[in-house]
Amino acid sequence: MIEVKNLVYRYPKNKGATVKDISFSIDKGEIFGFLGPSGAGKSTTQKILIKLLTNYLGEITILGHNHKKSDSGYFNQIGVCFELPNHYLKLTALENLKYFAEFYRQKPVDFIPLLERVGLAKDADTKVEKFSKGMKMRLNFVRSVMHNPDILFLDEPTSGMDPVNARKIKDIILEQKQLGKTVFITTHNMHDADELCDRIAFIVEGELKIIDSPKNIKQMGGKRVVQVEYENGIIESQEFLMEGLADNLDFLDILRKNHIRSIHSKEASLEDIFIQVTGKNLLSHENIV
Amino acid sequence: MKTLFKMVIWDLKIQARNQIITVALIIAAVYTAIFFLLGLRGNDKILIALIFSDPTFMGFIFTGVLVLFEKSSNTLQALVVTPVKSWQYFYSKAISLTIISLIVCFAMIFASHGFRFNYFYFLSATFLSSLLFIFLGFIGVAKIKTFNQYIIVIPLFIAPFSLPYLNFFGLTNSPWLYLFPTQASFFLFEGSFCKITSFEIIYSFGYIILAIGVTHYFANRLFKKYIIRGE
């Protein structure tokens, strides 16, 4: 569906390249997460894929076509949800959708069910200038899916949303995958990436450090131990190796004689592995010392 | 063309919501009121001087304001990832602003002068001057980020294009001022009320169309470079 080979991009005013010889491919029906701190090159890569930036080196094939040669018809096949709201503030939510729908081959018959899905149906006739950031972001998202595109490019799709509305958006993203749509997500939200993505790429300073499933990535740095927290007059905790756990007498003894508060496997989080692999924190440019 | 037509309708709606049409009508009403209050009815020179400023200077300012509205709300970013083509966006703005300009200018002339004038020259003068200044507006606003910056840019464009006022009012008779396409605008507006020479007709149409072609070329380039790609 998306094939990127040896992609290099340098902004005209910069000395060095922002994207440095990266390669990856995304299959149809896959949710692919691009994770990295600000300035890592993830937005630049997305801008190239959505044709906002064109003077790149390398080869990109999307939907079987050479990306450099694809015309404006390409935009009928993609939906883009930007990180920041971008609506005509003096138009209502419904008018904004109707205006943008004019440009697409496949226009939605009815916009209200779409707005209903993200909790905006009752605000359909409200001017967008009166919306909160979260409402504008939900409208951004509706606009990106309303023309039934084959590929979705989502930049921080749950940014500025409360957990309930973020859940609605994540459910729709997973539905889109079920419908065979390909989803490219750029984010630094590890929880969203872990929950939604089939595969994740870590990008730092323009280079791809790792591409794998969240599960495999988390196993790379996790300790194969379980931590048991229990009450024995006082609250105590102890770690046990997973190997031979069923025959570990100390572990079984604790289970039999104490009130168990919790038992957790100590797998690493995506953030732990990100720091381990890249030496960077996702939310800043700073190196982790 | 169907998309362009729909975009023009939407642009007119957006301009109405942003009060641009209201402001344009208020300015026209103020001009007309000044014309009557100063007892200038019958003074075609003053009428032309006032009407000239509408498609030209107002067109330049409104173009900048519209683009800055879109820059500040990031809507351009959303538009460029749709199948809409940059020329459609570009012409939609030009056509919608020209329509407003035509309505305002005709309203002003009907109110101030009546219905006896050369409609062909007046329509040509308004339409061509409006297009020229809308494209100049795109050039002027391309690298600008805020309204405050644009206020500084406005006189830099308007002042040199105002110089043909000197020839128009007979203060000078300099052929050098023919280099400014607004000289051609003045001839066409004058043609609406009195006879103009064959040279003036050929020069006016030829030069203003040439100027529109040149400004369109640069406006389109700068629009793509600074407004769409944000370089």
Side-chain angles (χ1 to χ4, degrees):
Chain A
M1 184 61 84
I2 299 176
E3 184 87 39
V4 175
K5 283 184 190 164
N6 308 113
L7 178 65
V8 176
Y9 186 82
R10 184 178 71 81
Y11 284 98
K13 286 175 187 168
N14 289 3
K15 279 185 181 171
T18 300
V19 176
K20 300 167 186 167
D21 196 20
I22 65 171
S23 301
F24 58 91
S25 64
I26 309 173
D27 293 330
K28 180 175 162 56
E30 185 177 18
I31 302 181
F32 188 85
F34 226 52
L35 272 71
S38 301
K42 58 184 194 299
S43 292
T44 302
T45 306
Q46 176 163 309
K47 281 181 180 174
I48 292 167
L49 296 178
I50 62 176
K51 290 183 84 72
L52 283 182
L53 298 173
T54 49
N55 293 324
Y56 60 85
L57 298 174
E59 275 179 49
I60 300 177
T61 309
I62 300 180
L63 295 159
H65 296 102
N66 182 337
H67 194 50
K68 277 191 174 156
K69 292 179 183 165
S70 61
D71 58 17
S72 62
Y74 169 66
F75 296 112
N76 276 304
Q77 296 170 290
I78 67 166
V80 184
C81 179
F82 289 96
E83 184 182 3
L84 294 172
N86 38 25
H87 307 288
Y88 288 92
L89 301 177
K90 299 284 181 187
L91 297 183
T92 66
L94 192 57
E95 286 172 334
N96 266 282
L97 294 181
K98 283 182 177 173
Y99 176 55
F100 279 89
E102 300 281 12
F103 312 135
Y104 292 103
R105 271 200 300 262
Q106 193 165 344
K107 297 173 176 54
V109 181
D110 190 357
F111 296 92
I112 299 300
L114 287 168
L115 290 168
E116 192 98 56
R117 286 294 313 271
V118 298
L120 288 177
K122 66 181 187 308
D123 303 295
D125 295 319
T126 304
K127 282 185 186 172
V128 175
E129 66 185 351
K130 291 180 181 160
F131 278 18
S132 66
K133 192 202 169 191
M135 291 166 82
K136 288 176 188 167
M137 285 306 296
R138 281 181 274 152
L139 189 60
N140 261 19
F141 183 79
V142 170
R143 197 180 56 206
S144 71
V145 297
M146 69 177 177
H147 55 290
N148 195 24
D150 296 318
I151 306 174
L152 282 171
F153 292 96
L154 310 176
D155 193 354
E156 304 288 357
T158 57
S159 168
M161 288 181 207
D162 60 74
V164 174
N165 285 310
R167 181 72 264 157
K168 288 176 185 167
I169 299 297
K170 284 189 275 190
D171 286 344
I172 299 173
I173 294 170
L174 291 168
E175 271 177 34
Q176 293 288 312
K177 172 187 160 63
Q178 294 304 316
L179 293 168
K181 313 291 184 188
T182 303
V183 185
F184 182 92
I185 297 180
T186 52
T187 184
H188 51 243
N189 185 324
M190 286 293 179
H191 298 292
D192 283 1
D194 195 1
E195 186 184 343
L196 295 172
C197 298
D198 297 305
R199 284 188 306 144
I200 285 170
F202 285 168
I203 183 167
V204 177
E205 292 173 355
E207 292 174 10
L208 281 185
K209 299 291 184 185
I210 196 169
I211 303 177
D212 212 331
S213 67
K215 188 181 171 189
N216 287 347
I217 290 173
K218 284 188 286 188
Q219 282 178 353
M220 286 171 62
K223 290 194 283 184
R224 296 213 15 99
V225 296
V226 289
Q227 185 183 46
V228 185
E229 196 177 82
Y230 56 96
E231 282 182 37
N232 182 13
I234 54 167
I235 297 170
E236 290 188 78
S237 77
Q238 211 169 319
E239 287 184 359
F240 298 94
L241 285 172
M242 281 192 193
E243 279 74 28
L245 192 62
D247 302 319
N248 187 321
L249 295 177
D250 291 338
F251 174 71
L252 296 172
D253 199 43
I254 286 175
L255 293 187
R256 277 190 212 106
K257 294 180 179 170
N258 300 287
H259 172 66
I260 305 298
R261 289 172 63 91
S262 64
I263 301 176
H264 291 296
S265 61
K266 297 273 284 181
E267 65 180 2
S269 70
L270 279 178
E271 185 143 18
D272 295 334
I273 305 298
F274 188 88
I275 292 167
Q276 196 176 308
V277 171
T278 66
K280 305 257 179 200
N281 189 317
L282 261 180
L283 298 174
S284 73
H285 299 275
E286 290 169 16
N287 288 318
I288 304 296
V289 182
Chain B
M1 288 307 282
K2 197 177 159 190
T3 305
L4 179 63
F5 176 74
K6 285 180 177 172
M7 285 186 79
V8 170
I9 303 293
W10 276 104
D11 261 328
L12 286 169
K13 192 173 204 171
I14 292 164
Q15 285 159 29
R17 293 278 174 87
N18 282 309
Q19 306 300 333
I20 282 180
I21 294 177
T22 310
V23 171
L25 290 172
I26 289 171
I27 289 169
V30 169
Y31 278 3
T32 309
I34 290 171
F35 193 76
F36 278 106
L37 289 172
L38 295 179
L40 294 169
R41 194 168 171 87
N43 189 331
D44 293 339
K45 280 271 178 196
I46 300 291
L47 180 62
I48 291 171
L50 282 175
I51 289 180
F52 165 83
S53 70
D54 195 87
T56 53
F57 306 149
M58 287 301 128
F60 183 88
I61 292 166
F62 287 156
T63 304
V65 168
L66 268 184
V67 173
L68 287 172
F69 271 143
E70 300 220 353
K71 277 186 177 181
S72 64
S73 55
N74 289 321
T75 42
L76 277 163
Q77 189 188 43
L79 278 171
V80 296
V81 295
T82 69
V84 75
K85 296 174 181 71
S86 64
W87 70 264
Q88 288 171 325
Y89 171 86
F90 202 55
Y91 277 103
S92 172
K93 291 276 174 295
I95 293 168
S96 55
L97 284 169
T98 301
I99 289 170
I100 296 171
S101 189
L102 285 171
I103 292 169
V104 167
C105 287
F106 271 94
M108 281 165 69
I109 198 167
F110 286 149
S112 310
H113 182 85
F115 298 93
R116 289 171 62 86
F117 60 93
N118 187 315
Y119 284 72
F120 172 72
Y121 282 116
F122 190 75
L123 181 69
S124 303
T126 309
F127 177 73
L128 295 172
S129 306
S130 178
L131 270 188
L132 174 70
F133 274 81
I134 287 165
F135 293 143
L136 276 172
F138 275 111
I139 294 170
V141 81
K143 291 177 82 171
I144 300 298
K145 290 188 170 65
T146 66
F147 291 105
N148 288 345
Q149 288 175 342
Y150 195 56
I151 287 167
I152 297 168
V153 164
I154 290 169
L156 298 178
F157 277 80
I158 298 294
F161 285 98
S162 300
L163 289 174
Y165 267 118
L166 299 173
N167 274 357
F168 176 71
F169 281 115
L171 298 171
T172 58
N173 189 19
S174 170
W176 289 106
L177 296 183
Y178 283 44
L179 289 171
F180 296 97
T182 35
Q183 178 67 58
S185 297
F186 275 118
F187 280 142
L188 292 175
F189 274 115
E190 280 187 294
S192 311
F193 301 100
C194 57
K195 200 168 166 51
I196 54 173
T197 67
S198 302
F199 166 76
E200 286 168 346
I201 295 168
I202 293 166
Y203 156 77
S204 298
F205 279 109
Y207 197 62
I208 200 165
I209 288 168
L210 175 71
I212 287 169
V214 172
T215 49
H216 173 262
Y217 172 79
F218 284 107
N220 198 25
R221 272 183 65 119
L222 294 173
F223 175 74
K224 283 181 179 168
K225 187 174 181 184
Y226 294 108
I227 300 176
I228 291 184
R229 295 200 293 270
E231 286 178 14

